[in-house]
Structures are given as structure tokens and as C-alpha cells.
Amino acid sequence: MKQYLILSFLLLGLSFCAGGNIKIKLNPDLSGNFSIYQKKIKNKTPSSIGLGSYLSPVSETELILRERTFQFKNITSVLPPGIRFVIYKEQGEDYSTFLITVDTSSLSPLLKTLEINKEEVLALVKEAKTRDDIYRFNNLAEHIQFEIFLPFNVKDVVFAESRTPGDWTARHDGGGKVVVNLPLASFWENEFQQTSIIVKFKE
């Protein structure tokens, strides 16, 4: 009952954004899809539909996944808020470079685009850690995650500048899939003005 009262207080009349995921699917001609996934949790008035005798409705929580998808003709020409993409090949190198640069400052326009609010995220994460059902849904609330699917042979994925392992993740999951996790705490603390991720690949 105590946990229910705390959750009700935190969520009363509010919908909390539980972090944001960005998924990019790239075609060989550099066209593709750009998707934003937003996870939200909202407290609702309990449904009046009964569930049998001696069961009274107490609470109802709605978990929401919203997807917004956009198409592009060339990844290097799109300018989403706080993100830039460059593809180049150094003379004499066998591999090309896909450079992703993200504004990771406290004023990053990416935070506004993903509707991420510091107070709401911290309150939700604190409560979610006491409730296994919500925490499983919300396990990436403290990060912005990029999932990038490249139709190329990926050799390596690294941060251009040194970042704390564990908190910051840049890896190749095989099959051309690249995963990048950027901790929101670093954004809020204004730790780095920008962060670049280098993906080496062969066409």
C-alpha cells in the first residue's frame, strides 16, 4: 500500500517520459528510416470493470510506447536537433568512417526533441527501482540509446574522445548493428559539450 501511495503521488495527473531511443536503418545508397521511440508511464483512474467478487480496483498504470518514423534520402543531409552525420574515407584507407556527433551539453536540443525532463525521469527511476514490473519496462530511462543498422561490414565502433566505460557504451552487435548509450546524467551535469562516435566500415 505504501508503494502505491508513493507512486500515486509521483504520477498524479502526469505522464512521465522514460527515456528515448533512436533507431536508424540505413540502405546501401545512404537513404533510410529514422525512428524515435518514447516510453511513457501514466497513472489512470482505476477501471470500473470488475474482476470478480471481493476485488476492489485500487490503481491502474498505463505503459505507453510511442514511435515516430521519418524517411531520408541521404543520411549526411539530415539535420535532426543535436545530431550530425558525416561519412568519409581517408586517402589510402581500406575502411570508410561513419561519424556521428551528438550535442551532449545541458542545453542539447535533443533533450527537448525526446521530451526528456530531468525531475520526471529521476522521480520515475527512483520509484521504478522498487517495482520490478516497471523497472523492466524502464531499464534504459537513464540513457539516450541509438540503434543503427548499417548494410556494411562494420570493423569497429569507438568514441572519438575518452568516455567512462559502462556509463557510456559504443559497440558493434554484429550484422551491421551499432548500439550507443549516452547517460542523461552527463547531459544534465554539462560534462561534455559534444560526443562523437566513430564507426569504421567497408562497403
Side-chain angles (χ1 to χ4, degrees):
M1 178 61 79
K2 181 180 179 183
Q3 288 182 345
Y4 162 69
L5 291 174
I6 294 173
L7 186 64
S8 298
F9 176 75
L10 288 172
L11 301 181
L12 184 61
L14 295 174
S15 177
F16 287 89
C17 183
N21 292 18
I22 295 171
K23 183 179 291 185
I24 300 168
K25 291 186 177 180
L26 199 63
N27 299 318
D29 64 355
L30 304 185
S31 67
N33 291 333
F34 186 106
S35 299
I36 295 175
Y37 296 87
Q38 293 168 287
K39 293 181 289 185
K40 292 178 178 286
I41 181 170
K42 183 168 65 174
N43 196 41
K44 299 177 64 179
T45 302
S47 172
S48 59
I49 299 175
L51 194 63
S53 302
Y54 308 109
L55 291 170
S56 300
V58 175
S59 67
E60 185 171 330
T61 302
E62 183 176 12
L63 306 178
I64 304 166
L65 179 63
R66 182 172 68 168
E67 175 187 4
R68 290 184 283 165
T69 299
F70 308 86
Q71 290 184 328
F72 56 84
K73 293 183 178 180
N74 189 308
I75 189 70
T76 62
S77 65
V78 300
L79 301 172
I83 312 171
R84 295 296 176 267
F85 304 100
V86 177
I87 295 179
Y88 62 91
K89 189 172 184 178
E90 297 282 2
Q91 189 172 7
E93 279 195 1
D94 291 334
Y95 285 86
S96 298
T97 299
F98 181 31
L99 181 68
I100 308 154
T101 301
V102 183
D103 183 336
T104 49
S105 70
S106 59
L107 298 178
S108 174
L110 186 56
L111 297 175
K112 183 176 181 180
T113 299
L114 296 177
E115 300 175 358
I116 293 175
N117 178 281
K118 179 180 179 180
E119 288 72 24
E120 293 176 355
V121 170
L122 292 179
L124 179 57
V125 169
K126 181 179 179 181
E127 179 60 28
K129 287 180 178 179
T130 70
R131 290 177 46 136
D132 184 60
D133 56 337
I134 295 179
Y135 195 57
R136 281 198 302 269
F137 171 80
N138 194 49
N139 60 354
L140 273 176
E142 296 165 282
H143 292 79
I144 293 176
Q145 182 184 80
F146 287 80
E147 287 184 298
I148 305 170
F149 297 85
L150 303 174
F152 308 121
N153 178 25
V154 175
K155 176 187 177 184
D156 197 18
V157 182
V158 296
F159 287 109
E161 308 86 10
S162 177
R163 293 291 184 267
T164 305
D167 289 340
W168 298 78
T169 305
R171 68 176 189 267
H172 175 219
D173 278 0
K177 181 180 178 181
V178 171
V179 177
V180 177
N181 288 325
L182 309 177
L184 286 170
S186 181
F187 282 76
W188 296 326
E189 293 168 9
N190 206 36
E191 186 176 11
F192 303 105
Q193 293 303 298
Q194 69 177 33
T195 296
S196 295
I197 301 96
I198 298 171
V199 180
K200 292 288 186 179
F201 69 93
K202 182 177 285 187
E203 300 182 36

